Amino acid sequence: MTQHLRPALVLLLLFTALTGLAYPYAVTGLAALLFPNQANGSLVIRDNTIVGSSLIGQNFASDRYFQPRPSATSTPDPADSSKTVDAPYNAANSSGSNLGPTSKTLIERVSAAAQAKRAEGWQAPLPADALTTSASGLDPDMSPKNALAQVERVARARGVAPQKLRALVETQISRPWLGFIGEPRVNVLALNLALDALH
Amino acid sequence: MTINGWLQIALVIGLVLIAARPLGLYMAAVFDGRRTLASVALGPVERGFYWLAGVSPEKEQGWLAYTGAMLMFSALGFASLYAILRLQAWLPLNPQGFEGVPPDLAFNTAISFLTNTNWQAYGGETTMSHFSQMAGLAVHNFLSAATGIALALAVTRAFSRGAAATLGNFWVDLTRATLYVLLPLSLLVALAFVATGAPQTFAGAVDAATLEGAKQTIALGPVASQEAIKQLGTNGGGFFNANAAHPFENPNAFANILQIWSMLTVSAALLVMFGKAVGAERQGWALLGAVGVILLSGVALVYAAETAGNPLLAALGLDPAQGNLEGKELRFGQALTALYVAVTTGLSCGAVNAMHDSLTPLGGFVPLFLIQLGEVLPGGVGSGLYGLVVFAVLAVFIAGLMVGRTPEFLGKKIEAREIKLAMLAVLILPLAILGFSAVAAVLPSALASLANAGPHGLSEILYTYTSAAGNNGSAFAGLNANTPWWNVTTAISMILGRFGYVIPVMAMAGSLAAKKKAAPSAGTFPTDGPLFVGLLVGVIFIVGGLQFFPALALGPIVEHVLMLAGKTF
Amino acid sequence: MSAKFKTRRTLLFDPALLIEAAADSVRKLNPKTLMRNPVIFVTEVVAALVTLLWLRDYFSATGSPFFSGQIAAWLWFTVLFATFAEAIAEGRGKAQAAALRASRSDTMAKRLIDPQGRDHLDGVIENVNALSLNPGDVVLVEAGDIIPSDGEIVEGVASVNESAITGESAAVIREAGGDRSAVTGGTTVLSDWIKVRVTAQPGETFVDRMIALVEGAERQKTPNELALSVLLAGLTLIFLIAVVTLYGLAAYSGAVPSVVVLVALLVTLIPTTIGGLLSAIGIAGMNRLVRFNVLATSGRAVEAAGDVDTLLLDKTGTITFGNRMASEFVALPGVDSRRLAEAALLASLADETPEGRSIVALAKGDFGLAEPEVFDARAIPFAAQTRLSGLDLSTKSLRKGAVDSVLKFAGLSSEQAPPEFRAAVDRISRSGGTPLAVVETRNVQAHAVGADAVAFTESELLGLIHLKDVVKPGIKARFAALRAMGIKTVMITGDNPLTAAAIATEAGVDDFLAEATPEDKLNFIRKEQTGGRLVAMCGDGTNDAPALAQADVGVAMQSGTQAAREAGNMVDLDSDPTKLIEVVEIGKQLLMTRGALTTFSIANDVAKYFAILPALFVAAYPELGALNVMHLASPQSAILSAVIFNAIIIIALIPLALKGVSYRAVGAASLLRRNLLVYGLGGLAAPFVGIKLIDVAVTALNLA
């Protein structure tokens, strides 16, 4: 075994330098040169402030905005660091709910949310994405159905004509490339930015 | 299921098949030591490495020395990674100021990356400094994958050579795999990821002021560079906790296709290379065919189960047309999510673009079962197609007798010694998976980690040990694996699954290499036709999978019938 | 299939054999001997365990003793059926062994105290028991004596009846020196006497080895059998892990099945079918060889026979009949072919060799010549030295014989022969035939009178007789079959390359070795082996011994020398070189049977899961009843049916294990397709049907 010691040690060091440092620095350099916007997180800037990333969902609780999918992300409890508290769209700690299909917790959560939606006037079938948490808790998108279902509420809150909002939603739907690559979806942040821009 | 969905799946498979052959032939040339276009730039680097390391590239090793070199390299890799993780607070590139990783977690993580499992008992963005991610974890993404390729080469040479005492030189294979294959590919794929939107920066995080006026801290980092090798090396250890479901790791459908392509292509190319090296390209394609049959069956089952959705949720009024969306990202769609689920588990990658814990019972059954089959589809880059070869050897042995000859695979007679070693390897997975699961299932301190009750809880236990022993790394992530019990037992499973498997396989390779290569004739068992493909699939299922069915019956299978019956836990 | 083979064949299930085998199968339950078979050993252990549980149930009146009692019984049956399979396979060999043993018992030997003594009647012999003979002893065997041990004749010649080992009652000649000097203990001298130097250790004679072999007493596992045992042991271990760990997993679910049920699951999953039949298959394979009158010194050789890639066959006796026959008269220009035929006929009258007789027959047949009345003639019989035969008449002499001998007789050098003659010689040789020349010499001297009379002879070459090697009918088809199996046939002959090539083409062999010396054979075998091919050959002479030893499968002729018999790993008691082909087929059939039953056994597991798994947990999860696709009546009947099926499938497959799967000489690809269909898919489907039927019966009989 001792004859293996030198090659093992030397190659480990060389490869750590090559793949652990040279490689990421090279990619970072090239990325900054070729795709600076993406490399820095596809940040969205309005009035010189970073309002988010076009790839990362953010929480909208107000009726004045289109609301994204529920998020299962959490943050350490300020009172007890061994526990966590819900913190939707915490982009520093991505996470899904990890609830299984026969989980009582899941069924109760969805049931309560569905009731709330119905109370809001939504008709069955309810857009499934509006009631299920995403895998990362940071899903930036919602389904067109989900967006359209929220038009009435947002229109009421903002006092604009629902048709106008419906048309706005239509413009924000990104469709599959070549008709089959990808899914039809609406970027929530982009939609809400466009909504704010209406005024 | 939709036509569009299947078209997307077909597109990805097509892209893989197009790239596999040229890459496979290129790899065959590289590992033969022939000059390629890349030699101009990389040749001097390669020779420099050998000179510094004191390696004589022409000096070959027998199976014992080859395995010894691999073990020594792994041991040192473990030591250095463990040290980096423990000491990260004092090391550079720690903009978030993370503490050192606790001992049990550092042990688990070091074993995990060393064994190409990339099981993550931690959340990346809340635990690891950039230095740990790059110089610690990403390095092993390269090296464990290169080790897997090296092992694949050793196994290949066992068949391509006749009456040979040596299987190649581990240091040479390792160096070439990294320099000529993984590094250039990673560079290209990383830039492609950046183009689709993956960040690549040394900034730790940015704070955004949301439209509603809240503060959103967005974790950033050198994501794309790690993403590339994580997929190409079928490692699966993501930068973020949500892995490839995180929009930064996997920003859109194109990135998602690139992710799946990266997982599959090098593995498929390895099979092409195998065929080329043993002198029958058809052989490589036949193995690929067997892999394809199992993988696509898995894809179809996940796709069907997930689009059928969860009747418990449909009963609450959710649109059944959208399928099961809990734990999934909208931008990938059900089809590419299903493909991802099957590929990442079939290939021992372990990256996830959906939360497997929230899949429907049958949707979760598929990844569980695919990992349990062993690293056969085709074992991924990190585990060197040996799982597939072991099963090919067993298939030839069981059915090959039916042509009235002592079974032989690619001209090598399969005898008691090979069978003994192959069975030893096959034994490891049930032992580690079922053994640890049976203990954890009755151990209160272990059960405290479960996130779900009922059969799904048992599935979480099974999945955890399956993923560890299968060196996969994906998870039913609801289970809190960051406790001493889970950290230690999963680490042991990973060691068993890697080294407990590799050592017998390498001994088998040594024994096969030493055999004379029998000349093929019309009486030789044909191993490159559809018949063999069917046979291999059957043997993989029956010998590799059947023993898990009693356990699976108590997990996903019973959960499925209970879900249909409307039961919750 | 020879007639002898038919008579030797025992009925597949002779009642007497069955009874003895049944008794043996109980004796074989001894765990010590059963340990050799891990699958069945595990079955026996759990059978004992379930028996204890049944006793507990029975006496404590807990659980359901009726159910556990039945499971225990069927588990014991599973073990018994497996030992029965082995016992019955051995039993068939034992009958043969008994006959052999009879030939050996109570043999007394006349040992020469002074082997150098000239006269054996001097009384310098002592009577000793055959078993006390050691190698080097010389014994005298006289008419009516049984040869006491294997040996080499050092003096004398005798006719020997070897029927005790060959089953062939015709006497054979054995003599000192040459290729017929070996004798076998147990055979009987019919006439004359011989002195034999013993070559075998006591208890290790040919007959002893044969008895041990057919009885399977010292049966070692063959390499492939060993590998298969490892696989089966591995599978057993895997399923053991699966079942034991089920304890913990089921405890989580609150669904722990009873031990009896877990045992049932284990036994149905481990490969009991092939495990139970494995040794029977091996023994039956050896027995098949023995029935073909071929004796293998090891099971390894039988397996190797299945792997053979290249078959070296002697031309004479294997590919062609032993002798050549006249097929054509080739008259020279200006010679009437009838005249040639007449001359050939006359010249051959005194030739009693088969060739000579065939010339007479051809002349009579083709030209309708009658047997001529010859007066005043002197017959010159064929002699090996002159290689001529002929007839001297008053006016002329006729000779026929080898071309150079005839030319020499005619006083011609080969250049002086007419070009047409030389061309014809060439043509016949090229076509693989042997040319014989016919010459007529008018002896003028006979008429000369007076002292100064000039004596001269006038020779006229009449033409040639074309002697042909006659290839055995049907041999070409057999070689084609071998080729389809992927086996290359190589003809070995002492003929020149031209002749060899022609016969090779006619017989359809793939290659030939002409003018072959023993070294050539050895080198050829080595060359083939270096190329990764396995070689089989047969031979009889001492100079074949190195090649026989080098070949992977060497079949020595029983009639051959002791050296050849020692060198080969099989002995053909009939001394029939064509047997090699059968030997290969038997080897293949043995391996195929093993593979087919392994595949069948392993494929069975799928259906057994569907039977047992729902039954296992249906108490805790009634919803799992959905998986009961066979609609078995109750969990208990499902488990019982699977266990019963598992046991009786062993009995059901015994005939197949003993007879072997049907073999056809086709390529590996189509063999595999067929066998995979029958035993692979059959193995998947059969238990679904079988378990369902048993379940119906079990339910009807109220057994569960």
Side-chain angles (χ1 to χ4, degrees), chain C residues 261-314:
Chain C
V261 170
L262 283 178
V263 163
L265 176 68
L266 174 69
V267 170
T268 48
L269 292 184
I270 61 177
T272 46
T273 312
I274 179 66
L277 295 172
L278 186 56
S279 61
I281 296 169
I283 298 167
M286 292 289 263
N287 283 348
R288 268 198 297 280
L289 263 188
V290 172
R291 287 209 309 278
F292 263 95
N293 270 351
V294 175
L295 206 55
T297 50
S298 71
R300 174 187 285 268
V302 186
E303 275 174 11
D307 293 348
V308 161
D309 300 285
T310 306
L311 220 48
L312 294 193
L313 297 164
D314 270 324

Side-chain angles (χ1 to χ4, degrees), chain C residues 178-355:
Chain C
D179 285 353
R180 301 184 147 265
S181 61
V183 288
T184 310
T187 57
T188 315
V189 171
L190 293 177
S191 67
D192 305 291
W193 57 267
I194 46 175
K195 285 182 185 173
V196 176
R197 188 191 306 115
V198 175
T199 53
Q201 295 284 351
E204 288 176 19
T205 65
F206 192 71
V207 172
D208 290 320
R209 289 211 313 255
M210 195 158 160
I211 291 170
L213 270 171
V214 293
E215 279 192 325
E218 290 161 50
R219 217 173 72 80
Q220 295 290 314
K221 282 183 179 165
T222 60
N224 173 261
E225 207 178 338
L226 206 63
L228 195 51
S229 300
V230 171
L231 178 88
L232 299 181
L235 286 174
T236 306
L237 206 52
I238 287 175
F239 285 118
L240 208 54
I241 293 171
V243 171
V244 169
T245 55
L246 206 49
Y247 234 81
L249 299 172
Y252 170 93
S253 315
V256 181
S258 71
V259 175
V260 174
V261 170
L262 283 178
V263 163
L265 176 68
L266 174 69
V267 170
T268 48
L269 292 184
I270 61 177
T272 46
T273 312
I274 179 66
L277 295 172
L278 186 56
S279 61
I281 296 169
I283 298 167
M286 292 289 263
N287 283 348
R288 268 198 297 280
L289 263 188
V290 172
R291 287 209 309 278
F292 263 95
N293 270 351
V294 175
L295 206 55
T297 50
S298 71
R300 174 187 285 268
V302 186
E303 275 174 11
D307 293 348
V308 161
D309 300 285
T310 306
L311 220 48
L312 294 193
L313 297 164
D314 270 324
K315 183 198 75 175
T316 310
T318 310
I319 295 170
T320 63
F321 288 109
N323 37 50
R324 296 153 170 249
M325 312 237 205
S327 67
E328 188 192 359
F329 293 115
V330 183
L332 285 179
V335 179
D336 181 32
S337 60
R338 193 178 174 85
R339 185 177 156 217
L340 171 64
E342 247 168 29
L345 171 63
L346 289 170
S348 302
L349 282 178
D351 184 355
E352 284 302 315
T353 63
E355 286 88 347

Side-chain angles (χ1 to χ4, degrees), chain B residues 82 217 348 358 362 385 401 448 516 540 553:
Chain B
Y82 182 79
T217 304
S348 166
S358 297
L362 291 185
L385 72 87
L401 282 171
K516 279 196 291 191
I540 290 175

Side-chain angles (χ1 to χ4, degrees), chain B residues 394 397-408 413-417 419-421 423 426-427 430-431 434-435 437-439 441-442 447 450 452-458 461-462 516-519 521-526 531-532 534-535 542-543 545-551 553-554 557-558 561-562 565 567 569, chain C residues 223-224 226-228 230-231 234-235 237-239 241-242 245-253 255 265 269 303 306-309 483-487 529-534 587-589 591-596 598-599 602-603 605-606 609 613 616-617 621 623-624 626-627 667-669 671-673 675-676 679 684:
Chain B
L394 289 177
F397 182 76
I398 291 170
L401 282 171
M402 283 196 294
V403 305
R405 282 172 71 101
T406 303
E408 55 196 32
K413 277 211 180 337
I414 310 298
E415 291 167 300
R417 184 175 161 79
I419 293 299
K420 198 186 298 169
L421 294 166
M423 288 311 285
V426 171
L427 211 59
L431 190 66
L434 296 175
S437 295
V439 176
V442 290
L447 293 174
L450 299 192
N452 288 274
H456 199 81
L458 191 65
I461 298 173
L462 276 174
K516 279 196 291 191
K517 208 166 156 60
S521 75
T524 311
F525 183 93
L531 207 58
F532 179 70
L535 178 68
I542 293 179
V543 178
L546 227 44
Q547 63 266 34
F548 296 105
F549 263 86
L554 289 171
I557 295 176
V558 78
V561 293
L562 291 175
K567 293 256 165 71
F569 296 90
Chain C
N224 173 261
L226 206 63
L228 195 51
V230 171
L231 178 88
L235 286 174
L237 206 52
I238 287 175
F239 285 118
I241 293 171
T245 55
L246 206 49
Y247 234 81
L249 299 172
Y252 170 93
S253 315
L265 176 68
L269 292 184
E303 275 174 11
D307 293 348
V308 161
D309 300 285
R483 194 168 305 115
M485 287 153 59
I487 297 172
Q529 287 171 335
T530 319
R533 282 176 286 272
L534 255 66
K588 283 195 177 296
Q589 198 188 23
L591 294 173
M592 276 168 52
T593 307
R594 229 180 249 158
T598 306
T599 307
I602 291 175
D605 276 3
V606 176
Y609 267 114
L613 271 191
L616 213 50
F617 304 124
Y621 296 119
E623 293 83 356
L624 272 179
L627 291 185
L671 261 183
L672 182 66
R673 194 173 311 119
N675 286 336
L676 212 50
Y679 300 101
L684 283 176

Side-chain angles (χ1 to χ4, degrees), chain B residues 152-164 166-167 274-275 277-279 283 287 385-386 388-394 396 408-414 418 505 508-518 527:
Chain B
L153 289 165
V155 170
T156 304
R157 291 182 189 123
F159 292 98
S160 65
R161 298 175 173 188
T166 58
L167 292 170
F274 179 81
V278 300
Q283 185 64 57
L287 291 177
L385 72 87
Y386 46 69
L388 188 58
V389 170
V390 164
F391 277 105
V393 162
L394 289 177
V396 163
E408 55 196 32
F409 183 48
L410 300 170
K412 300 291 187 142
K413 277 211 180 337
I414 310 298
E418 290 74 47
V505 168
M508 184 178 88
S511 156
L512 285 169
K515 287 176 195 252
K516 279 196 291 191
K517 208 166 156 60
T527 55

